Coordinates of all heavy atoms in Angstrom, one line a residue:
E1 N -23.4 -3.8 14.9 CA -23.3 -4.0 13.4 C -23.8 -2.8 12.6 O -23.1 -2.5 11.6 CB -24.1 -5.3 13.0 CG -23.6 -6.6 13.5 CD -22.2 -6.9 13.1 OE1 -21.8 -6.6 12.0 OE2 -21.5 -7.6 13.9
S2 N -24.8 -2.2 13.1 CA -25.3 -1.0 12.4 C -24.4 0.2 12.5 O -24.0 0.9 11.6 CB -26.7 -0.6 12.9 OG -27.2 0.6 12.3
A3 N -23.9 0.4 13.8 CA -23.1 1.6 14.1 C -21.7 1.4 13.4 O -21.1 2.4 13.0 CB -22.9 1.7 15.6
Y4 N -21.2 0.2 13.3 CA -19.9 0.0 12.7 C -19.9 -0.6 11.3 O -18.9 -1.3 10.9 CB -19.1 -0.9 13.7 CG -18.7 -0.2 15.0 CD1 -19.6 -0.2 16.1 CD2 -17.6 0.6 15.1 CE1 -19.3 0.5 17.2 CE2 -17.3 1.3 16.3 CZ -18.1 1.2 17.3 OH -17.8 1.9 18.5
R5 N -21.0 -0.4 10.6 CA -21.0 -0.9 9.2 C -19.9 -0.4 8.4 O -19.5 0.8 8.5 CB -22.3 -0.4 8.6 CG -23.4 -1.4 8.4 CD -24.6 -1.0 7.6 NE -24.4 0.3 6.8 CZ -25.1 1.4 7.0 NH1 -26.1 1.4 7.9 NH2 -24.9 2.4 6.2
V6 N -19.2 -1.2 7.7 CA -18.0 -0.9 7.0 C -18.2 0.3 6.0 O -17.3 1.2 5.9 CB -17.3 -2.1 6.4 CG1 -18.1 -2.6 5.2 CG2 -15.9 -1.8 6.0
D7 N -19.3 0.3 5.3 CA -19.5 1.4 4.4 C -19.7 2.7 5.1 O -19.2 3.8 4.6 CB -20.7 1.1 3.5 CG -22.0 0.9 4.2 OD1 -22.0 0.4 5.3 OD2 -23.1 1.3 3.7
R8 N -20.3 2.7 6.2 CA -20.4 3.9 7.0 C -19.1 4.4 7.6 O -18.8 5.6 7.5 CB -21.4 3.7 8.2 CG -21.6 4.9 9.1 CD -22.5 4.5 10.3 NE -23.9 4.5 9.7 CZ -24.9 4.1 10.4 NH1 -24.8 3.6 11.6 NH2 -26.1 4.1 9.9
L9 N -18.3 3.5 8.1 CA -17.0 3.8 8.6 C -16.1 4.4 7.6 O -15.4 5.4 7.8 CB -16.3 2.6 9.3 CG -16.9 2.1 10.6 CD1 -16.2 0.9 11.1 CD2 -16.9 3.2 11.7
R10 N -16.1 3.7 6.4 CA -15.2 4.2 5.3 C -15.6 5.6 4.8 O -14.8 6.4 4.6 CB -15.3 3.2 4.2 CG -14.5 1.9 4.5 CD -14.6 0.9 3.4 NE -13.8 -0.3 3.7 CZ -14.0 -1.5 3.2 NH1 -14.9 -1.7 2.3 NH2 -13.2 -2.5 3.5
A11 N -16.9 5.8 4.7 CA -17.4 7.1 4.2 C -17.1 8.2 5.3 O -16.6 9.3 4.9 CB -18.9 7.1 4.0
T12 N -17.3 7.9 6.5 CA -17.0 8.9 7.6 C -15.5 9.2 7.6 O -15.1 10.4 7.7 CB -17.5 8.4 8.9 OG1 -18.9 8.2 8.8 CG2 -17.2 9.4 10.0
T13 N -14.7 8.1 7.6 CA -13.2 8.3 7.6 C -12.8 9.1 6.4 O -11.9 10.0 6.6 CB -12.5 6.9 7.7 OG1 -13.0 6.2 8.8 CG2 -11.0 7.1 7.7
Q14 N -13.3 8.8 5.2 CA -12.9 9.5 4.1 C -13.2 11.0 4.2 O -12.4 11.9 3.8 CB -13.5 8.9 2.8 CG -13.0 9.6 1.5 CD -13.4 8.8 0.3 OE1 -14.1 7.8 0.4 NE2 -13.1 9.4 -0.9
K15 N -14.4 11.3 4.6 CA -14.8 12.7 4.8 C -13.9 13.4 5.8 O -13.5 14.6 5.6 CB -16.3 12.8 5.2 CG -17.3 12.5 4.1 CD -18.7 12.5 4.7 CE -19.7 12.0 3.6 NZ -21.0 11.8 4.2
T16 N -13.6 12.7 6.9 CA -12.8 13.3 7.9 C -11.4 13.6 7.4 O -10.8 14.7 7.6 CB -12.7 12.4 9.1 OG1 -14.0 12.2 9.6 CG2 -11.8 13.0 10.2
L17 N -10.8 12.6 6.6 CA -9.5 12.9 6.1 C -9.5 14.0 5.0 O -8.6 14.8 5.0 CB -9.0 11.6 5.4 CG -8.6 10.5 6.3 CD1 -8.3 9.2 5.6 CD2 -7.4 10.9 7.2
E18 N -10.5 14.0 4.2 CA -10.6 15.1 3.2 C -10.7 16.5 3.9 O -10.1 17.5 3.4 CB -11.8 14.9 2.3 CG -11.7 13.8 1.3 CD -13.0 13.4 0.6 OE1 -14.1 14.0 1.0 OE2 -12.9 12.6 -0.3
R19 N -11.4 16.5 5.0 CA -11.6 17.8 5.7 C -10.3 18.2 6.5 O -9.9 19.3 6.6 CB -12.8 17.7 6.7 CG -13.1 19.0 7.5 CD -14.1 18.8 8.5 NE -13.5 17.9 9.6 CZ -14.2 16.9 10.2 NH1 -15.4 16.6 9.8 NH2 -13.6 16.2 11.1
D20 N -9.7 17.2 7.2 CA -8.7 17.5 8.2 C -7.2 17.3 7.7 O -6.3 17.9 8.3 CB -8.9 16.7 9.4 CG -10.2 17.0 10.1 OD1 -10.8 18.0 9.8 OD2 -10.6 16.2 11.0
L21 N -7.0 16.6 6.7 CA -5.7 16.3 6.2 C -5.2 17.5 5.4 O -5.8 17.9 4.4 CB -5.6 15.0 5.3 CG -4.2 14.6 4.9 CD1 -3.4 14.2 6.2 CD2 -4.4 13.4 4.0
D22 N -4.0 18.0 5.8 CA -3.4 19.2 5.1 C -2.8 18.7 3.8 O -2.0 17.7 3.8 CB -2.3 19.8 6.0 CG -1.8 21.1 5.4 OD1 -1.8 21.3 4.2 OD2 -1.3 21.9 6.3
G23 N -3.3 19.2 2.7 CA -2.9 18.8 1.4 C -1.4 18.8 1.1 O -0.9 18.1 0.3
Q24 N -0.7 19.6 1.9 CA 0.8 19.7 1.7 C 1.5 18.4 2.1 O 2.6 18.1 1.7 CB 1.4 20.9 2.5 CG 1.4 20.7 4.0 CD 2.0 21.8 4.7 OE1 2.8 22.6 4.1 NE2 1.8 22.0 6.0
H25 N 0.8 17.6 2.9 CA 1.3 16.3 3.3 C 1.1 15.2 2.3 O 1.7 14.1 2.5 CB 0.8 15.9 4.7 CG 1.1 16.9 5.8 ND1 2.4 17.2 6.1 CD2 0.3 17.7 6.5 CE1 2.4 18.2 7.1 NE2 1.1 18.5 7.3
L26 N 0.2 15.4 1.4 CA -0.2 14.3 0.5 C 1.0 13.7 -0.3 O 1.1 12.5 -0.4 CB -1.3 14.7 -0.4 CG -2.7 14.9 0.2 CD1 -3.7 15.4 -0.8 CD2 -3.1 13.6 0.8
P27 N 1.9 14.5 -0.9 CA 3.0 14.0 -1.7 C 3.9 13.0 -0.8 O 4.2 12.0 -1.3 CB 3.8 15.2 -2.2 CG 2.7 16.3 -2.2 CD 1.8 16.0 -1.1
A28 N 4.1 13.4 0.4 CA 4.9 12.6 1.3 C 4.2 11.3 1.6 O 4.8 10.2 1.7 CB 5.3 13.3 2.6
L29 N 2.9 11.4 1.9 CA 2.1 10.2 2.2 C 2.1 9.2 1.0 O 2.3 8.0 1.1 CB 0.7 10.5 2.6 CG 0.5 11.2 3.9 CD1 -0.9 11.7 4.1 CD2 0.8 10.1 5.0
V30 N 1.9 9.8 -0.2 CA 1.9 8.9 -1.4 C 3.2 8.3 -1.6 O 3.3 7.1 -1.9 CB 1.5 9.8 -2.6 CG1 1.7 9.0 -3.9 CG2 0.0 10.2 -2.5
R31 N 4.3 9.0 -1.4 CA 5.7 8.4 -1.5 C 5.9 7.3 -0.5 O 6.4 6.3 -0.8 CB 6.8 9.5 -1.4 CG 7.0 10.3 -2.6 CD 8.3 11.1 -2.5 NE 8.4 11.9 -1.2 CZ 7.8 13.1 -1.1 NH1 7.2 13.7 -2.1 NH2 8.0 13.8 0.1
W32 N 5.5 7.6 0.7 CA 5.6 6.6 1.8 C 4.9 5.3 1.4 O 5.4 4.2 1.5 CB 5.2 7.1 3.1 CG 4.9 6.0 4.2 CD1 3.7 5.6 4.6 CD2 5.9 5.2 4.8 NE1 3.9 4.6 5.5 CE2 5.3 4.3 5.7 CE3 7.3 5.1 4.7 CZ2 5.9 3.4 6.4 CZ3 8.0 4.2 5.5 CH2 7.3 3.4 6.3
Y33 N 3.6 5.4 1.1 CA 2.8 4.2 0.8 C 3.2 3.5 -0.5 O 2.8 2.4 -0.7 CB 1.3 4.5 0.9 CG 0.9 4.7 2.4 CD1 0.4 6.0 2.8 CD2 1.0 3.7 3.3 CE1 0.0 6.2 4.1 CE2 0.6 3.9 4.6 CZ 0.1 5.2 5.0 OH -0.2 5.4 6.3
A34 N 3.9 4.2 -1.3 CA 4.4 3.6 -2.6 C 5.7 2.9 -2.4 O 6.1 2.1 -3.2 CB 4.4 4.7 -3.7
S35 N 6.4 3.3 -1.3 CA 7.7 2.7 -1.0 C 7.6 1.2 -0.6 O 6.6 0.8 -0.1 CB 8.4 3.5 0.1 OG 7.9 3.2 1.3
P36 N 8.7 0.5 -0.7 CA 8.6 -0.9 -0.3 C 8.3 -1.1 1.2 O 7.5 -1.9 1.6 CB 10.0 -1.4 -0.6 CG 10.5 -0.6 -1.7 CD 9.9 0.8 -1.5
L37 N 8.9 -0.2 2.0 CA 8.6 -0.3 3.5 C 7.1 0.1 3.8 O 6.4 -0.5 4.6 CB 9.5 0.6 4.3 CG 9.5 0.5 5.8 CD1 9.6 -0.9 6.3 CD2 10.5 1.4 6.4
G38 N 6.6 1.2 3.1 CA 5.3 1.6 3.2 C 4.3 0.5 2.8 O 3.3 0.3 3.5
K39 N 4.6 -0.1 1.7 CA 3.7 -1.2 1.2 C 3.7 -2.4 2.3 O 2.7 -3.0 2.5 CB 4.2 -1.7 -0.1 CG 3.9 -0.8 -1.2 CD 4.4 -1.3 -2.6 CE 4.1 -0.3 -3.7 NZ 4.7 -0.8 -5.0

């Protein structure tokens, strides 16, 4: 429960995405998740 606390996982995941996700992919990701199929 301590190791997999949701607030800890979310913070770590967010930091990892901010660090590792190439910003050039963001517009495509936003379009995908805003599309009916992505939703």
Side-chain angles (χ1 to χ4, degrees):
E1 294 296 330
S2 176
Y4 291 89
R5 252 186 20 237
V6 69
D7 60 324
R8 177 182 286 171
L9 291 176
R10 287 174 176 160
T12 300
T13 301
Q14 185 171 356
K15 286 177 189 170
T16 301
L17 288 172
E18 288 170 353
R19 183 190 68 225
D20 296 345
L21 187 64
D22 189 331
Q24 71 178 342
H25 300 296
L26 288 176
L29 287 168
V30 170
R31 278 193 310 277
W32 163 251
Y33 288 116
S35 74
L37 186 55
K39 288 178 183 177

